[in-house]
Structure formats: structure tokens, C-alpha cells
Amino acid sequence: MKMVKRILGMFLILSLITVSLSSCGKSNSITGMWYNEDGEVLNVQEDGTYNYEREYGTGTWKILDDKTTIEFKDFYGETTNIEIMEEDIGVKIKYHGEYFYKDAYPSDEEISENKEKNAQTIDAFAGLSYEVTGISPYCQLTINNQGCSEEVRQYVSYQLDKERYANGDTAVITATLNANTGDSAYKLESTTSNYKITGQSEYLTSVDGYDLTKLKAELSDYITACFAKAQTPYWSELFGKSVYDVHSVSKTDGDVYFSSLKLDKNAENIEFVNRLSFTYKITYKTTDGTEVFYACISAVNIMKTADGSIKWGSENADDFDFIAQNAEGSIENCVTTLIMCNKDNFNISKVAV
């Protein structure tokens, strides 16, 4: 009679367990075969034991007082609390960091469709800010996501359509959701956004229509100073040429050329991106007689700032300096060897200023 009571008691306990878990998923209980992504089986048995083929020995399980949490204790006594979760694609539990599905693990297609269906939509561009640096057409765009949501900062990355921009260009920013978003599923409200580049200082690609009064005044002062410094009874320098015992210096104006770096060339490997070159025949007198050479004097990296003013400089935009070179033979040789020699990288034209 005691044996019958024990059997009936065990049956009643198992029935209560089954009923208490019936609302947790499509399956009626924790008991049964559970499969992980690798096809490994967690076999939960009705007698309160379980086996996992990756672990040694037999573990035990029981329902805790909250009636929804199940405690698994492995062969070595380590416990793991488990809750049954129901999804459209099946019933699952999480054991030692892995998901196990009842009866069969869903296919990749089922998982993907379910993730897309239940994904939370996030706006990758809400709160995004931009900073433009550099001089057109070599501006760079920097993206700052500090004003975005936590999910965006953690799971979204951005790419630009190119590395350099000019005033008037529209940058295309592409947002990409990371493949791994943990246990949460997200989808992007939109994947691209545009940002127009405006208001940056820009290098001149032509001198037509620009007021170069300041540049020509600075050039005149530069030449006058060079002439004065060269007129000594000693060795000195005149536009890069060593001269001695100079009594007087004069110049004859030649043509003026404007050089602008071709857009398909890499500005990082070039000394300047544009230059306005003035050519001259230089005549100077010494005790021994009259000497002649030819000079090319250039203002480089000429730009228009955001307020419309013109600046230039070999190192900085506020240098307002000039680069002087010299050649022998003729004014044509000066133009050929000092200006036209750069025609492979620059668009070069004769200009009137």
C-alpha cells in the first residue's frame, strides 16, 4: 500500500510540474529533447534528471518557488537558472550561454525571418553631427555619433562615399548595422543620408574674376626688397642666384601663368595645389659689366576664404610669401624649365592679372 501511495505521489508531482509549465511555450513542459545550433542534445527527463552530451554525468532539475524558473544542477553541483521562452519559430531555453530549442533547432531562414519581423527600428542618423575640415576641394568630413542613441552608438558604423570633398559637393553617408547585436534585434529606419559641403575656404582653380590687388602689392614690395638686399659690394643672393658686387638691378616683365593641380592627382605628394607665376628678365650691373638671367616668382596655395578675401602661402595661408627660382638662356627656357615642366600634374594657362 505504501508503494502505491509513493507512485501516486510521484505522478501527482510530475503532473503539477507539467501544468505549471504549460503556459511557458508550445510544449507542455521542460521535459523532452532540446537542440542547440550545433545539433547537440540536452535531454530533460521526467524523473527530474537531465543529460547534456557535452557535459559529464547526469544532472538534476527542479522548479523554484516562483513557478517559472527551473534550476538545473549539473553533475558537479553547478547550478543554472532557466526560463522557458516562446517564439514564433519555437520554444527555447538558455543553458550555459547557449540557446536550445525544443524538438528541433530552427533553420537559418526561420531565424532570419523571425529576427527581421521582431526587430526594433532605430534611426542611425538622429543626433548625428558632422564637422568639415580642410580647404576645398580637399575637405574632409568627420562624423560624430555622441548625440545618437545608445543602440546606434554600439551597433551602427558609417562609411563615406569618398575621402575628399569640394564646396558644393553632397557627401553620401551610409549606415551599416553590425552583424552581432547580442540578444536584441534591430533594423535601420534608413541606410543613407546626405550632407552638403558649403562655406569652406577653397583653393583657386582660376584667377578670373578675383581681386588680386593685395597679392600684386605684396609682390611689388617683395621684388623691391630683393633688389635692395642684392645691391652690396659682397656676395649676395637675387631670386635664388648668387651674385657679387651688384650696383643696380632692373627687370623686364614677362608673361604670367596660373597652375592648378589636376583633380585626379594626389595633393599629398605635391608641394602646392596652385601657383601664380610671374616671369621676368633680370638685369644687374657689377664692376665687371652687365649680367642677365631670368626669374620665376610664384605665389602658391592661393585660396579664397569664407569671407571672400584672398590668402596664400608656402606653409600657411597667412604667410603671404613668394617662391623665387631662376634660369639661364632665355625667358622661354625659364617658362619651360620652371613652369611647363609640371604640366603632367597641373593645368597651366597664361593669364592676365
Side-chain angles (χ1 to χ4, degrees):
M1 190 65 180
K2 289 183 179 180
M3 182 61 70
V4 173
K5 289 182 178 179
R6 286 180 181 177
I7 293 173
L8 290 174
M10 181 64 73
F11 179 77
L12 180 59
I13 290 172
L14 291 175
S15 297
L16 289 173
I17 292 173
T18 300
V19 171
S20 67
L21 296 174
S22 62
S23 62
C24 295
K26 293 179 180 180
S27 178
N28 288 332
S29 72
I30 187 65
T31 60
M33 309 288 278
W34 300 81
Y35 296 84
N36 67 7
E37 187 177 11
D38 298 323
E40 296 170 333
V41 178
L42 176 67
N43 183 9
V44 182
Q45 300 168 1
E46 293 185 356
D47 63 0
T49 63
Y50 75 94
N51 299 97
Y52 177 31
E53 59 183 273
R54 192 187 292 179
E55 296 179 345
Y56 177 79
T58 298
T60 60
W61 62 271
K62 66 179 181 180
I63 300 175
L64 301 183
D65 293 340
D66 62 7
K67 306 302 181 185
T68 60
T69 306
I70 306 162
E71 180 187 86
F72 274 41
K73 182 182 291 186
D74 65 17
F75 179 81
Y76 297 102
E78 181 181 350
T79 60
T80 302
N81 290 341
I82 289 174
E83 292 185 1
I84 297 177
M85 296 169 278
E86 184 177 347
E87 295 180 344
D88 293 339
I89 55 175
V91 180
K92 70 179 182 181
I93 59 174
K94 191 172 186 179
Y95 178 70
H96 287 182
E98 290 187 274
Y99 285 113
F100 291 78
Y101 282 81
K102 188 68 173 292
D103 299 329
Y105 198 87
S107 66
D108 291 342
E109 183 178 358
E110 289 175 319
I111 293 174
S112 179
E113 289 178 354
N114 184 66
K115 187 174 183 179
E116 177 67 21
K117 177 182 177 182
N118 295 288
Q120 176 187 343
T121 300
I122 54 177
D123 187 346
F125 300 100
L128 205 64
S129 61
Y130 306 92
E131 181 179 359
V132 183
T133 56
I135 303 169
S136 175
Y138 306 105
C139 298
Q140 291 182 289
L141 182 63
T142 302
I143 298 172
N144 188 329
N145 68 354
Q146 288 304 306
C148 299
S149 66
E150 181 179 351
E151 293 81 7
V152 169
R153 294 198 305 271
Q154 189 170 2
Y155 298 123
V156 177
S157 56
Y158 301 90
Q159 295 80 38
L160 298 172
D161 59 324
K162 56 183 181 179
E163 293 183 1
R164 301 286 187 269
Y165 298 94
N167 279 334
D169 283 352
T170 298
V172 179
I173 303 96
T174 301
T176 303
L177 188 64
N178 297 349
N180 182 12
T181 57
D183 293 337
S184 301
Y186 302 99
K187 59 183 176 182
L188 299 181
E189 182 175 304
S190 59
T191 57
T192 60
S193 182
N194 297 332
Y195 185 82
K196 190 167 184 178
I197 310 299
T198 59
Q200 296 299 117
S201 297
E202 60 181 66
Y203 290 116
L204 301 192
T205 56
S206 168
V207 293
D208 293 343
Y210 291 100
D211 183 0
L212 301 179
T213 301
K214 178 178 175 61
L215 188 150
K216 290 188 289 183
E218 290 287 343
L219 175 63
S220 179
D221 289 345
Y222 170 76
I223 292 174
T224 299
C226 288
F227 282 4
K229 292 174 183 176
Q231 296 180 58
T232 71
Y234 311 106
W235 282 104
S236 58
E237 185 179 275
L238 182 58
F239 303 140
K241 181 178 178 62
S242 293
V243 294
Y244 180 74
D245 190 23
V246 175
H247 295 170
S248 64
V249 186
S250 63
K251 66 178 177 66
T252 302
D253 294 351
D255 292 324
V256 182
Y257 295 84
F258 183 72
S259 306
S260 178
L261 185 66
K262 296 176 180 177
L263 289 178
D264 61 345
K265 302 299 181 179
N266 187 352
E268 294 179 358
N269 299 323
I270 304 295
E271 293 181 6
F272 52 88
V273 297
N274 65 30
R275 72 173 181 172
L276 185 62
S277 302
F278 298 81
T279 61
Y280 302 97
K281 177 183 177 180
I282 304 298
T283 303
Y284 66 96
K285 294 181 178 181
T286 70
T287 303
D288 296 330
T290 300
E291 302 289 341
V292 173
F293 71 94
Y294 301 88
C296 173
I297 304 175
S298 302
V300 301
N301 299 326
I302 308 168
M303 70 175 70
K304 181 186 74 171
T305 63
D307 64 5
S309 60
I310 298 297
K311 292 186 176 183
W312 69 93
S314 55
E315 297 293 336
N316 300 292
D318 294 320
D319 286 346
F320 302 115
D321 61 349
F322 295 91
I323 296 174
Q325 300 167 288
N326 64 83
E328 301 291 340
S330 66
I331 194 72
E332 290 79 16
N333 184 56
C334 175
V335 172
T336 299
T337 59
L338 301 180
I339 299 175
M340 293 302 175
C341 61
N342 297 312
K343 201 167 179 61
D344 56 335
N345 291 318
F346 290 83
N347 294 314
I348 303 174
S349 59
K350 188 186 298 186
V351 296
V353 295

